[in-house]
Structure formats: structure tokens, C-alpha cells
Amino acid sequence: MKKKKRPSPPKKTGGPTTVQRSGNPAKKTGRAATGKRSGIRKKNVLITGVTGTIGSRLAEALYYDKNVGIIIGAARGAKPYYFNQFDTKRFIYKDMNILKSRGLTNLFLTTDFKEADINTVVHLAFFNRVSRSKQKESFHRLNVEGTNNLLDKCIESGSVSKFIFKSSDVVYKIRPHNPVYLDENADLNFDTDVDQWVKDRVDADMICQSKMDSKGINIVILRFSNIIGRMGSGQLNAYFDSPLVFRAMGFNPLINLIHMEDVVFAIQSAIHKNVKGIFNIAGADTAPISTFSEINRSRMYSLPEPLLGPVNTVMRKLGMTRYYYSVDADRLKYSVLLDTRKVTKMLDFKPRSRKYSVQRPGPGR
Amino acid sequence: MNQQGRKWARTVARTLAPEEYVRFQELKINDLGFGYDPFGLEIESAVAALSVAKQIYKYWFRVESHGVENVPLEGAVMITPNHSGALPLDAVMVGVDLAVKMKKPRIMRAVVDNFAGFLPFVNTLFYRCGQIIGARRNFEELLKWGEMVGVFPEGDKGTGKPFKDRYKMIPFNVGFMELSLLYRAPIVPTAVIGAEEQYPYMFNVKPLANLFNLPYFPLTPLTLLLGPLGVLPLPTRYSIYYGEALHLYREYPPETVKDPETIRKLVGLVQDRVQSLIDEGLRRRRGKVFGFSLKDLLPGKTEPKIPAAPSKQIMERIGS
């Protein structure tokens, strides 16, 4: 099992520098501890799925963000060791299952939650693709019902003014005659024969959309392109991690990769900006899938499309890949690029990482 | 294409069309950072494909063209030819002609029917050479970037016309006119003579068309006589006529798109101009039916003589 990269510990001399400069709210009492300061209201954030790769990085980024007060990180299981470095008055870890309505109600009623004056919820808890059918059912419940339960509680609470849901571009219907840049109003994938994980993504996205007009809460859906980064659990991350990669013969679609750092940065922007709605977020690197494979030094082979599924199954059985072809069958044939004009304009987001263009192939363009 | 592939593509282009290869160095694309534009156009692939197509242009169809000076050298512009010939070779020939003959070479971004996107290899080839699948949004993006877009307003029905209906255009679609007014893009009416006889199309074999996910599967006498060799188009001589660019947006503001009657009239005007160019081209064509004589097939007779006068006469006629 691979060891996760953990957030680097803050300096021992009195906590993080950024917090020190603005005054560490955890060292103060009352007003400062709840993140309220005269004139500026700090964001107090609940993060679900905080133990995931993005969750832990987001927690770290927010911990060092001077405009964020208290962070409650929720996930299932005991508190991981890498959160021990954070000041417990500023970062509170909660072991909870968002599927259980009682547990969720209790969380919203806890003293910690009330005192923290949580006003922003970032919902990251979402299971990745699984193979075993028994797990599929419980994961579907977490992915879809869990999102619904949490959003309902946030609306009921009256104190949460922003709900951010991390979605993905897999919700879009992929066709060769799509516009080159898909905007936020592009058709969603309601096909019945798609993978259950894609259905869960679409369902959860739709649940958030259906409650978009709820009073007193701004719901933000962030649809990211293919997230890539160390220890990332995204589909294409798993694809490029494989020793052998296969693509559909006769197709070589353009893909966009977004780095984990940019994902965290985009969520941070969404926390601070006064926005609501759906936003497509893409990274800086766009190229055919074969180009990324070459940069990654993967061995890529083209196979007739009907063989891709069986080959992928065999590779998974042999432990050679974590990638699920069924999720991305169309993505290996047709390009999916996101129209990011809205996010650029409203969230002032521009991708910062350009990890791949450093090794740009081809003659000096 | 990897670096090795690009190297090969440049070698192919330099070998097959050395003069054009130098000219094509001027071509610019909206590079996203890896040598591809958002539609997947890659300059090396496009130049290699143009060089190969140039051989077909020169030796098989012996293309001659008139009025290329009517095509603007920069900015958004629409080329609107008639469409025919089962396979869209007319689009390829117009694209090559513009790249070869224009003072400053430009890549024509032809709007391709949706079905092409589903076809393996064809899909990738089209994208790498700059062709786009016909979503309106894609068309708009290209005009915003100031590209030269090839639109075939007859659509795929044009290429599926039976032989008896050659040079009889079917009503044009109207979408291109709306975009021309919205994005202030001039329209260059264009006539392609010769493509309509390259496949004397008799029947549409629908089961085969469905099997290959194509709009039609043409059956020609040559496929019956020659089998797979019958797939080759007849070496008809192509003549391409570019009419004077129509700047209709100068007289009709963008709000005109809300008036379908006026739009239909404007589309009719463009269609009339294309038809006039076709009529004039047919009148001037040397052959009676297929546009070629045995002399044309002899070596040394392949270079077309491009008369200067006819294009002027045509322009005057169309202008009036």
C-alpha cells in the first residue's frame, strides 16, 4: 500500500506563519475563536470526506488561510495522525457517517458546530468506483442519499450560507458532435447503460441543482475536468498509473487535466467569493490522450474498441490497474473540454499548475 | 502525433510538395500548448495531408480555379460551395486550392456532418486536419477566432444526390446566414464543377449504410463492374469558381436573424449566386459530360490552363 503524502507540519514556534501574521484565532477566546472579527466575517468551514486526498489538502490550505476561522473535518473512522499537527481549537475532526440522519442531526447540534458558527460546507465525501456489488449499494447510498441528507440539513440549519459540492465533468453526455467547449448548460448523461458511478455523480449533481433556489443558502457546484496529482483517485490518474494503457483504435481525443493544487485553489475561491450556481473548472493542459501518455512514459497501445473492456477487466484482476474502462468508455473516443469562461469571470479562477507543459514535446512552438 | 511522427509528417510534406511546404510554414493555429488547437488541429498533420491531397488535386482531378482573389486573406469568412460526389472530395479540393493559390495560405475549416465523428480513423484524421463537427457552437467559435470556414449549405443530402440530379442544388440550410450576420463574416459563393460526376450514383444501399453508420452507401455502375476498384472516383476535371464576397452584414444588422423570411431570402440570394457560377462553369467546361477528354489523361497535359478572362466575365455577371 502506498504511503500518502501528508500536509507538512506547521512551524513549531507558535503555529503557521500566515495565521501568526493575522493573529492566530485559536489563541484568542470567544469572538475570535468562532472566527468573527469586527468588520470581516471569517469563513468557518465544514469539510466532509476530509481524509481523502483533496479533503486533506483542502484542510491544510484552509488552515493556513487567514480568512478562514474554524474548520470541522468530517469523515468516517478515527482521526488520522496527520491532522494531529493542527491546533485542535482551529481544526476539529468529527468521526461521522453522513448517511445516518441521526448522526448528521447530532453533528449540527453539537456544541463544537454551534460555537464554530459554521457558515460554509464543502461536500467532498464521494466514493470512487468499486467493483464488488455489495459495496456498490452502500456506496450509492452514501454518494446520492448522503449528499441529499447533508444538503437538507444545511438548508434546515439556517446558519449555513454556502454549500459547495465537488462534481465532475463525467456528468456530461459525451458525443462526437458536442460543442468543442461544453458550458454549464450542456446535456447531462442520463443514459441508462452507463456505469453506476457515473449515475451517482449525475444524481448527486441533480439533487444540488434542484435545491439551487433554496432561500438563505448559496449552492455551488464545481464540475472539474480530469483531476490528476500524486495519490489522486481520479479515473485518469489511475489510467496513467497503469504500466500499460490502451485506447480505442482510430480515436485519439483531446483531454484536459487539472492538477490537485488547482482543485484546492478553486474550492478556496468558491468559499470566499459571493457566488452560487454551476461552474466548469478545467486545468491548463489540453492535448490528445496519446501525448499525455508519452509524457508520462506509459506504454500505450491501440485496440479495437470491443476488446478494451475485457482487457481492462483482466488487468484489474491481475492487479495491474485501478482504472475502470466502463466509466470512461466514451471519453477514450471523444473529446471533452470544458468552457471555463464563467468560472474565470465570477470566481476569478485561472489554473496555476502547468505540470505537463514543462516537458512539452515537439519543435519550438 | 509524437515528435517522430511530426518529423515524418514534415518529411512527407517536403518531399511531395516542396514549394507548398515553404508556404505552409506561414500557417498559424490557436495552439493550446502542445501543438493542437481546441478542435484537435495539428499543423504537421494538416500540412502532410495537404501535400498528399495536392497530388490528387494536381494529377487526378487536375483542378483549375478562378477568382481566388475574391477570398479575403484574413478575418472570418465563409466559403459556401455546392456539395456533391458521394465522398466529400469536393471539400478537400477546395481546401487544397485555397491553401495553394491564396497569396497568404489559409486552412479552410470545413464543417463536417455529425456521422463523421463516430467513425474511427476518419474522426481523428478530420480533427487533425482542421475539420470540425457541425455543432453551431463550434462554427461560432471559429468565426470568433477569425478563421476561414467551409460550409456546405446543402448538407450531406448534397453528396447523396443521384446522378440525374447533378448540378441541381437542393435548398440551402439557413444557419450559416444567421452566423454570417451575427459575426460579420463575408460569404464567398463558390461553385465546384466536376465533382457531381465523380460517382455516378444510382442506388443507396440502405442496409450497408446502416451497418457502417453512414447517411448513405452509394452504388455506382463502377462498383458493379470493377468491385472494390469502383470505389475510386472517376478522374473528372474539377473547375472551382469563387464569386465576389458578399458582405450582407453591412446592410442587414444582427437583429435580422429574428426575421426568418429575410434570412430565407438572403440564403436564396447566395444560392442563386452559386447556381449562376455553376451555370457559367458548365458552359465553359471543355468536356460535355465528365469534363475531361483523352488528351487530359496523357502525360504532360495535366497542368490546367487557367484563363484569366472567364473569371472576370463571371464576376461581372454575378455582380450585376
Side-chain angles (χ1 to χ4, degrees):
Chain A
M1 203 172 143
K2 289 177 185 174
K3 197 178 175 182
K4 273 194 172 185
K5 187 196 174 189
R6 298 303 172 207
S8 56
K11 287 178 183 174
K12 283 182 182 174
T13 53
T17 23
T18 43
V19 178
Q20 268 185 333
R21 252 185 268 133
S22 59
N24 188 344
K27 289 191 173 178
K28 297 176 183 176
T29 53
R31 198 176 55 169
T34 60
K36 286 177 185 171
R37 296 181 72 198
S38 55
I40 304 164
R41 194 186 180 203
K42 286 196 174 188
K43 299 289 180 185
N44 301 310
V45 186
L46 166 69
I47 307 170
T48 66
V50 74
T51 51
T53 320
I54 295 171
S56 57
R57 288 181 191 213
L58 179 66
E60 185 193 17
L62 295 181
Y63 187 76
Y64 293 113
D65 186 336
K66 63 182 178 184
N67 294 318
V68 172
I70 292 175
I71 304 156
I72 297 181
R76 287 200 287 188
K79 182 180 177 182
Y81 69 92
Y82 45 83
F83 287 138
N84 290 339
Q85 64 191 322
F86 295 154
D87 187 335
T88 50
K89 285 181 184 167
R90 182 119 191 276
F91 178 85
I92 302 158
Y93 181 81
K94 291 281 177 193
D95 173 8
M96 60 157 287
N97 182 354
I98 60 166
L99 259 186
K100 293 184 179 167
S101 184
R102 170 59 56 198
L104 208 54
T105 309
N106 287 346
L107 173 74
F108 278 70
L109 293 174
T110 53
T111 322
D112 282 342
F113 192 89
K114 284 181 177 170
E115 281 190 355
D117 188 21
I118 293 294
N119 48 33
T120 305
V121 173
V122 181
H123 180 40
L124 301 176
F126 210 93
F127 271 111
N128 284 316
R129 176 69 164 79
V130 287
S131 56
R132 280 164 288 181
S133 56
K134 278 184 186 174
Q135 282 184 322
K136 272 183 189 172
E137 178 58 28
S138 64
F139 286 5
H140 166 73
R141 286 177 61 214
L142 177 86
N143 290 342
V144 180
E145 291 174 28
T147 304
N148 194 27
N149 287 345
L150 181 66
L151 184 50
D152 282 346
K153 289 287 174 215
C154 291
I155 294 168
E156 280 170 24
S157 76
S159 60
V160 175
S161 59
K162 186 173 279 180
F163 181 87
I164 298 169
F165 175 62
K166 184 185 92 56
S167 186
S168 156
D169 64 353
V170 296
V171 299
Y172 291 119
K173 173 93 178 148
I174 302 172
R175 293 171 293 206
H177 48 278
N178 272 347
V180 63
Y181 287 118
L182 292 175
D183 65 16
E184 288 80 359
N185 298 320
D187 293 345
L188 299 188
N189 192 347
F190 294 117
D191 286 355
T192 50
D193 56 348
V194 295
D195 193 89
Q196 183 60 44
W197 184 79
V198 178
K199 286 180 188 168
D200 286 0
R201 276 281 180 204
V202 176
D203 285 353
D205 196 292
M206 287 297 291
I207 285 168
C208 295
Q209 279 194 57
S210 66
K211 295 174 183 180
M212 194 68 83
D213 292 331
S214 305
K215 282 183 183 170
I217 187 166
N218 287 344
I219 296 173
V220 179
I221 302 171
L222 303 177
R223 290 180 185 154
F224 291 98
S225 61
N226 306 289
I227 301 170
I228 205 141
R230 193 161 177 271
M231 294 307 299
S233 52
Q235 270 283 304
L236 278 185
N237 222 52
Y239 180 78
F240 288 118
D241 269 352
S242 313
L244 296 174
V245 289
F246 297 97
R247 67 180 164 96
M249 191 177 271
F251 295 94
N252 192 7
L254 293 185
I255 56 168
N256 177 275
L257 300 182
I258 183 167
H259 196 269
M260 204 87 75
E261 288 171 14
D262 283 328
V263 174
V264 170
F265 175 53
I267 297 173
Q268 252 184 302
S269 304
I271 290 172
H272 292 303
K273 298 269 179 182
N274 183 23
V275 290
K276 66 185 280 189
I278 306 166
F279 298 92
N280 283 340
I281 302 174
D285 296 317
T286 301
I289 200 162
S290 65
T291 303
F292 286 121
S293 160
E294 195 191 347
I295 291 167
N296 200 42
R297 297 187 182 87
S298 312
R299 284 187 194 171
M300 177 171 266
Y301 300 97
S302 297
L303 284 181
E305 195 193 336
L307 294 180
L308 289 175
V311 168
N312 178 253
T313 310
V314 172
M315 283 181 70
R316 270 192 289 108
K317 299 257 185 224
L318 295 173
M320 291 170 73
T321 186
R322 294 179 289 124
Y323 175 72
Y324 284 87
Y325 167 73
S326 57
V327 174
D328 276 342
D330 285 338
R331 192 176 291 257
L332 292 186
K333 293 196 293 179
Y334 312 125
S335 300
V336 187
L337 302 182
L338 299 179
D339 181 346
T340 56
R341 280 179 291 191
K342 190 177 169 189
V343 77
T344 310
K345 189 179 168 191
M346 294 180 70
L347 281 186
D348 198 20
F349 169 82
K350 278 184 186 165
R352 297 184 294 186
S353 300
R354 232 182 143 79
K355 298 284 177 190
Y356 287 90
S357 45
V358 176
Q359 304 171 50
R360 200 171 77 184
R365 265 166 213 291
Chain B
M1 208 184 274
N2 59 20
Q3 286 197 44
Q4 189 63 29
R6 285 180 174 168
K7 201 176 159 186
W8 273 105
R10 282 194 291 269
T11 309
V12 167
R14 210 171 16 234
T15 312
L16 290 178
E19 284 176 33
E20 280 74 22
Y21 177 75
V22 177
R23 274 167 53 77
F24 292 159
Q25 298 306 307
E26 293 175 43
L27 292 170
K28 294 272 187 303
I29 65 165
N30 184 12
D31 192 347
L32 290 175
F34 289 90
Y36 300 88
D37 87 344
F39 291 96
L41 166 64
E42 184 190 34
I43 206 81
E44 284 83 358
S45 301
V47 169
L50 277 172
S51 308
V52 173
K54 170 78 196 306
Q55 310 309 309
I56 303 168
Y57 167 93
K58 190 174 174 184
Y59 296 110
W60 192 261
F61 292 120
R62 293 146 294 128
V63 181
E64 57 184 41
S65 69
H66 314 279
V68 76
E69 65 279 359
N70 290 321
V71 183
L73 294 175
E74 50 192 31
V77 56
M78 291 184 195
I79 311 292
T80 55
N82 54 318
H83 206 15
S84 59
L87 289 177
L89 291 166
D90 49 355
V92 179
M93 292 304 116
V94 173
V96 175
D97 188 64
L98 290 168
V100 169
K101 296 265 178 74
M102 284 179 79
K103 277 184 187 169
K104 182 184 160 197
R106 297 185 77 178
I107 293 180
M108 185 179 83
R109 315 294 299 265
V111 181
V112 179
D113 198 68
N114 292 347
F115 78 90
F118 291 98
L119 304 174
F121 300 105
V122 174
N123 162 312
T124 310
L125 176 73
F126 277 11
Y127 283 133
R128 294 294 173 270
C129 296
Q131 315 312 304
I132 56 160
I133 304 294
R136 185 182 169 105
R137 173 82 190 277
N138 294 340
F139 201 157
E140 289 179 346
E141 289 287 340
L142 289 174
L143 294 177
K144 279 184 209 165
W145 298 347
E147 296 269 4
M148 180 169 74
V149 186
V151 194
F152 295 85
E154 290 178 271
D156 64 356
K157 287 178 189 163
T159 48
K161 271 185 293 193
F163 187 66
K164 64 181 174 59
D165 292 336
R166 63 194 180 281
Y167 299 113
K168 290 177 195 164
M169 283 190 295
I170 54 176
F172 279 14
N173 296 323
V174 297
F176 78 97
M177 180 56 69
E178 293 172 358
L179 295 177
S180 166
L181 299 183
L182 287 172
Y183 293 95
R184 302 182 63 78
I187 297 169
V188 179
T190 304
V192 181
I193 312 292
E196 309 242 1
E197 292 99 357
Q198 70 190 14
Y199 279 110
Y201 168 20
M202 298 191 315
F203 307 108
N204 179 11
V205 191
K206 282 185 180 170
L208 284 176
N210 293 338
L211 181 69
F212 294 111
N213 202 14
L214 298 170
Y216 50 83
F217 193 97
L219 190 69
T220 69
L222 292 173
T223 37
L224 293 175
L225 286 171
L226 304 172
L229 275 180
V231 175
L232 282 174
L234 288 172
T236 53
R237 180 188 284 279
Y238 269 43
S239 300
I240 303 172
Y241 294 88
Y242 302 100
E244 204 170 316
L246 302 170
H247 299 266
L248 296 168
Y249 56 84
R250 288 178 185 162
E251 292 170 47
Y252 296 90
E255 296 77 52
T256 313
V257 298
K258 292 175 189 164
D259 179 0
E261 271 188 34
T262 310
I263 291 289
R264 180 39 77 189
K265 274 184 195 169
L266 295 176
V267 170
L269 175 77
V270 176
Q271 184 160 355
D272 284 350
R273 296 222 170 179
V274 175
Q275 189 65 58
S276 307
L277 287 167
I278 290 174
D279 294 344
E280 189 64 29
L282 286 175
R283 199 174 63 76
R284 295 188 171 279
R285 192 161 68 158
R286 280 189 277 173
K288 292 291 180 193
V289 180
F290 290 113
F292 72 98
S293 62
L294 283 175
K295 279 182 190 174
D296 295 332
L297 299 176
L298 295 173
K301 296 282 183 187
T302 50
E303 278 298 328
K305 289 174 188 170
I306 303 169
S311 64
K312 278 189 181 174
Q313 288 168 2
I314 289 167
M315 296 324 138
E316 278 167 18
R317 181 178 160 175
I318 298 309
S320 64

